[in-house]
Amino acid sequence: MILKTKGVPVGIERPIAGSITFHNGSAGDILIMENGKPSQPGNYKALLTSQGQLEHPNIPYVHSVPAFNHLSEGDIIIINSDGVITTAYRVNSRHNFLLFTEQCNSNCLMCSQPPKIKNDIEYLYEVHSQTIPLIPKDCVELGITGGEPTLMGDKFFKLLSLIQAELPNTEVHCLTNGRSFSNPHIATQLGNMSFSKLMLGIPVYADYYALHDYIVQADGAFEQTIQGLYHLAKNSVRIELRIVLHQQTIPRLLKLAKFIYKYLPFAEHVAFMGLEHQGYTPYNIEKLWIDPLDYRHELTEAMSYLSDFGMHVSLYNAQLCVTPQELWPFYRKSISDWKNIFLEECSKCSQQHSCGGFFASNTRKQSRGLKAFL
């Protein structure tokens, strides 16, 4: 699915965020104009067109845009000064997220979006400050991702406060490595927001510090994360623990489950997650790939252990045909719609409606157990 396109900008000096309309004269911040001229150009922040340069539009615009068929009425977009048009929010999707920064203080072996060393915080703060008030108030859920979002510093809290004020009924899920919250003042600051709709998704990859630190490629990360989790729990911040399933995590998976129950029982949710073949994963595939058929026993043991003790567990990013049936009650369709596909074998499967399918990036590495239910 396309989330970005580009045309030729005219008069775009700073990023412009707005909801789009395809109907000249209708409500909307940005008009997508295929023919003619806007009847009331002053009503719009900007124009977009697949045509060539316009005569006297009187407002900023982008021309020669290849196509708009990936956009729907009411979608929110960002028009950048270089003519790049990014989709910030899709009204017909539940898989919307805000990227707070691409910077990160970890460097995980299987990171699907490797960190970038660039000063993107001011830019992303500006565009999200424009975008958040435009998001429909009936938005069910919204994701926050990175990089490491907390590296925005005070701007992280400003954007959270804006979301809390503008979208009081929206469930907000923020992915973070949790290390910043080893500073008790940062955890307290978050707790003082009393943001009951916010949940932090924090990875714990092993019960043993050296293994966790190796996976995230950062010395001291395990200690910081565990300290952060305790500080967050003390401040009544909702927590989800996330475990990616690969060669490094599988051997100690049951020990990790026991560690979680004993030392982190305050976690609201524990998510076991299949590997995404994106970012660093292809480069580290020999250290990471293990066929889901070969860890069925370990996964069943770990998930059943936590469930038997009353913890809420889920399995993400997996396929039903290689998932033990005793784990089906914990199975979730989790892959975002914009990167979700099914294979040819799936077209004849009687369970496709219940299956989460594949990451589009996973077509080159598949389980030998993939087989349609007939």
Side-chain angles (χ1 to χ4, degrees):
M1 179 179 290
I2 298 173
L3 295 179
K4 187 178 291 187
T5 187
K6 186 176 183 179
V8 180
V10 177
I12 311 288
E13 297 180 357
R14 299 192 65 81
I16 299 173
S19 60
I20 64 167
T21 181
F22 289 85
H23 309 293
N24 196 346
S26 297
D29 300 307
I30 296 169
L31 174 64
I32 293 179
M33 189 180 64
E34 294 292 358
N35 298 296
K37 298 181 179 180
S39 57
Q40 297 175 302
N43 288 356
Y44 301 104
K45 294 179 180 178
L47 303 176
L48 302 179
T49 181
S50 58
Q51 303 173 52
Q53 193 165 354
L54 302 176
E55 292 185 12
H56 312 299
N58 299 323
I59 58 173
Y61 73 100
V62 180
H63 67 82
S64 305
V65 181
F68 300 109
N69 54 10
H70 63 291
L71 295 172
S72 299
E73 182 82 11
D75 282 356
I76 300 169
I77 62 171
I78 308 296
I79 305 175
N80 293 282
S81 58
D82 59 359
V84 171
I85 302 161
T86 303
T87 307
Y89 183 90
R90 292 172 294 140
V91 294
N92 296 323
S93 174
R94 291 187 58 159
H95 300 112
N96 286 293
F97 65 92
L98 302 176
L99 175 69
F100 273 21
T101 179
E102 292 190 80
Q103 300 177 47
C104 193
N105 54 351
S106 294
N107 206 29
C108 300
L109 292 175
M110 65 292 174
C111 181
S112 60
Q113 187 163 332
K116 295 180 181 178
I117 303 174
K118 64 177 183 179
N119 185 12
D120 60 358
I121 289 175
E122 291 295 334
Y123 164 77
L124 289 169
Y125 177 75
E126 179 181 355
V127 299
H128 294 329
S129 296
Q130 294 184 57
T131 300
I132 292 166
L134 300 174
I135 295 175
K137 305 308 178 188
D138 61 355
C139 172
V140 176
E141 54 190 350
L142 183 67
I144 296 170
T145 187
E148 173 48 45
T150 61
L151 295 183
M152 295 191 87
D154 190 50
K155 290 181 173 62
F156 171 72
F157 290 97
K158 288 181 178 179
L159 289 179
L160 285 185
S161 295
L162 186 59
I163 293 170
Q164 188 178 24
E166 295 286 343
L167 301 166
N169 299 314
T170 301
E171 292 290 339
V172 182
H173 192 274
C174 177
L175 299 181
T176 168
N177 58 39
R179 294 172 59 189
S180 294
F181 300 105
S182 60
N183 181 333
H185 300 294
I186 296 177
T188 299
Q189 185 176 356
L190 184 57
N192 287 342
M193 291 181 64
S194 300
F195 197 166
S196 62
K197 293 290 186 178
L198 173 69
M199 177 182 284
L200 302 184
I202 298 176
V204 177
Y205 294 129
D207 61 309
Y208 175 53
Y209 78 95
L211 180 55
H212 177 94
D213 288 2
Y214 169 69
I215 292 170
V216 305
Q217 295 287 286
D219 292 339
F222 179 82
E223 181 178 357
Q224 289 179 330
T225 297
I226 299 302
Q227 286 180 342
L229 287 166
Y230 281 121
H231 292 154
L232 291 166
K234 181 180 179 181
N235 286 277
S236 302
V237 177
R238 298 169 61 202
I239 295 166
E240 172 192 79
L241 301 178
R242 298 165 72 88
I243 305 160
V244 180
L245 303 166
H246 51 67
Q247 276 189 44
Q248 305 301 320
T249 57
I250 292 299
R252 299 184 68 93
L253 201 60
L254 180 58
K255 291 181 179 179
L256 175 56
K258 292 180 177 180
F259 175 88
I260 288 170
Y261 177 68
K262 184 174 182 179
Y263 296 107
L264 307 170
F266 46 78
E268 187 173 321
H269 183 222
V270 182
F272 293 79
M273 312 182 69
L275 189 65
E276 182 176 2
H277 293 253
Q278 186 75 14
Y280 283 154
T281 298
Y283 299 98
N284 295 313
I285 196 66
E286 297 305 319
K287 300 175 182 177
L288 297 171
W289 169 251
I290 179 171
D291 193 314
L293 283 186
D294 296 330
Y295 61 70
R296 289 161 64 99
H297 176 70
E298 291 88 345
L299 181 61
T300 301
E301 271 194 322
M303 294 190 72
S304 298
Y305 177 88
L306 291 174
S307 177
D308 288 347
F309 279 102
M311 297 196 74
H312 177 42
V313 297
S314 297
L315 176 60
Y316 291 167
N317 309 345
Q319 296 78 47
L320 274 178
C321 58
V322 294
T323 299
Q325 288 203 14
E326 56 265 48
L327 296 183
W328 281 18
F330 312 124
Y331 184 90
R332 307 288 181 263
K333 297 173 67 172
S334 60
I335 299 174
S336 298
D337 55 5
W338 57 278
K339 51 183 177 181
N340 183 214
I341 64 167
F342 285 92
L343 305 182
E344 184 177 350
E345 175 73 9
C346 306
S347 62
K348 57 186 178 183
C349 181
S350 63
Q351 296 295 324
Q352 182 174 338
H353 64 286
S354 300
C355 184
F358 301 80
F359 288 107
S361 60
N362 283 25
T363 55
R364 289 176 293 179
K365 201 72 173 178
Q366 301 160 14
S367 171
R368 66 184 188 278
L370 291 176
K371 186 177 181 181
F373 291 99
L374 302 177

